[in-house]
Amino acid sequence: MKAFVTGGAGFIGSHLVDKLIDKGYRVTVFDNLSSGEKKYMQHHFDNDDFNFIEGDLLDLELVKKSIKDHDVVFHISANPFVRLGEEQTRLDLEQGPVVTYNILESMRIHGIKKIVFSSSSVVYAETPPIALPETYGPTLPISLYGAGKLGAEGLISAFCGTFDFQTWIYRFANVVGSRGTHGIIVDFIDKLHKNPNELEILGDGKQQKPYLHVSDIVNGILHGFQHSNEQINLFNLGPDSNTTVTHIAEMIVEEMGLSDVEFKYTGGSRGWKGDVPRFQLDAAKIKKLGWKENYTSDEAVRKSIKEVLDEQ
Ligand code: NAD
């Protein structure tokens, strides 16, 4: 099977590419290297089953030309920096619905009907304290990033309804692991390298979220793709457990061998405007198909801290 992977040079995308190549797929990565890196794909460059196109998904003509002759699209690219929407209000519109439209339209022209999409738990936004099932609604995101994800989901669903596409949409919990280009672990480690005596923590540190290791995400993406065959296959992907921000900071301090680090909280219940301080995903639907996380949220965080430190 020939897979077209957008964002395949990034954190999650590059792990997915490793897995696809391992499973015998032929893979084209399409990436503009805005946050991804060539070094994450380096080990595939002399493999005939691997092809890399450096390009921007906003370039519709290039996407049309490049996507031809593939069987399935794994659409993993996005603006990964949730907070950037506060300063650049067009960004999540372009990197969400607009690039998703370019991909869907290019697929339509070339008769490609299967699309796997990396959405996010942010579409649910602020909710009662329950584990959220895929049927939870209304979905009213509070970040522009979340609006971009929901808009992209809507377009994909509309192409299913109008042009008989088939889709696997995954709403991820927070994802951690090696090759992380951003996020809380990378951020705290960077801050502590700069000043090992104190750590600024956004919010009150009580934000509590589920963290899933990237290996579990990649297994989940492929598991759902191989074991479900509805027209629209919508899954939450997250662990049953969660971890507080302060506990992440404590684990990082421990793993870096530091002591007496002063935690300086910026205060307030959320890290920034648009941050959802507490949520839990109900992943029972994909679990019924036989997927299960290998790492609890705390284990995933601890493992990822070690991986990120090893990489440095
Ligand atoms: P990442 O930044 O590491 O990967 C995104 C990749 O897309 C990068 O390689 C980047 O260069 C590429 N890209 C961005 N804009 C592009 C464009 N216009 N044209 C071509 N390439 C482009 O981010 P990630 O953490 O691996 O995220 C992957 C996906 O998972 C994203 O869709 C993200 O929204 C989603 N997601 C991530 C998390 C998480 O915790 N990391 C949680 C929920 C959802």
Side-chain angles (χ1 to χ4, degrees), residues 7 9-13 30-36 55-58 76-78 80 95 99 118-120 145 149 172-175 181-182:
F11 163 44
I12 298 171
F30 188 102
D31 199 300
N32 66 0
L33 301 179
S34 54
S35 56
D56 199 306
L57 290 161
L58 287 170
I76 311 296
S77 85
Q95 299 304 327
V99 302
S118 54
S119 188
S120 166
Y145 170 85
K149 286 293 183 201
F172 298 166
N174 287 6
V175 189
T181 50
H182 55 278

Side-chain angles (χ1 to χ4, degrees), residues 91-146:
L91 186 66
D92 292 300
L93 172 68
E94 287 181 345
Q95 299 304 327
V98 174
V99 302
T100 303
Y101 166 78
N102 286 352
I103 292 163
L104 291 165
E105 178 62 359
S106 303
M107 289 173 67
R108 186 187 69 78
I109 287 165
H110 293 296
I112 304 164
K113 302 247 177 184
K114 292 178 195 283
I115 180 166
V116 178
F117 178 58
S118 54
S119 188
S120 166
S121 55
V122 292
V123 300
Y124 297 116
E126 294 186 302
T127 54
I130 53 161
L132 305 164
E134 291 83 353
T135 47
Y136 181 85
T139 41
L140 296 169
I142 55 169
S143 62
L144 275 72
Y145 170 85

Side-chain angles (χ1 to χ4, degrees), residues 71-76 100 103-104 107 112-119 134 149-171 220-236 285-286 289:
D71 304 302
V72 55
V73 173
F74 290 83
H75 176 23
I76 311 296
T100 303
I103 292 163
L104 291 165
M107 289 173 67
I112 304 164
K113 302 247 177 184
K114 292 178 195 283
I115 180 166
V116 178
F117 178 58
S118 54
S119 188
E134 291 83 353
K149 286 293 183 201
L150 195 57
E153 285 189 6
L155 273 171
I156 292 170
S157 162
F159 270 70
C160 288
T162 312
F163 303 111
D164 299 325
F165 278 38
Q166 188 179 18
T167 191
W168 291 260
I169 295 173
Y170 297 98
R171 292 177 176 163
I221 293 172
L222 279 182
H223 193 88
F225 181 57
Q226 286 162 349
H227 294 89
S228 60
N229 202 19
E230 302 296 317
Q231 187 174 21
I232 296 182
N233 305 277
L234 173 64
F235 296 109
N236 288 332
K285 190 175 166 195
I286 191 147
L289 298 180

Side-chain angles (χ1 to χ4, degrees), residues 188-201 246 248-265:
F188 281 2
I189 289 176
D190 281 353
K191 281 181 178 166
L192 285 168
H193 277 315
K194 283 185 194 128
N195 182 357
N197 298 314
E198 72 171 46
L199 177 65
E200 184 199 56
I201 296 179
T246 295
I248 295 176
E250 289 164 351
M251 285 193 262
I252 292 178
V253 165
E254 237 175 81
E255 293 297 333
M256 288 179 80
L258 302 171
S259 55
D260 299 327
V261 179
E262 190 186 344
F263 291 168
K264 289 205 158 168
Y265 296 98

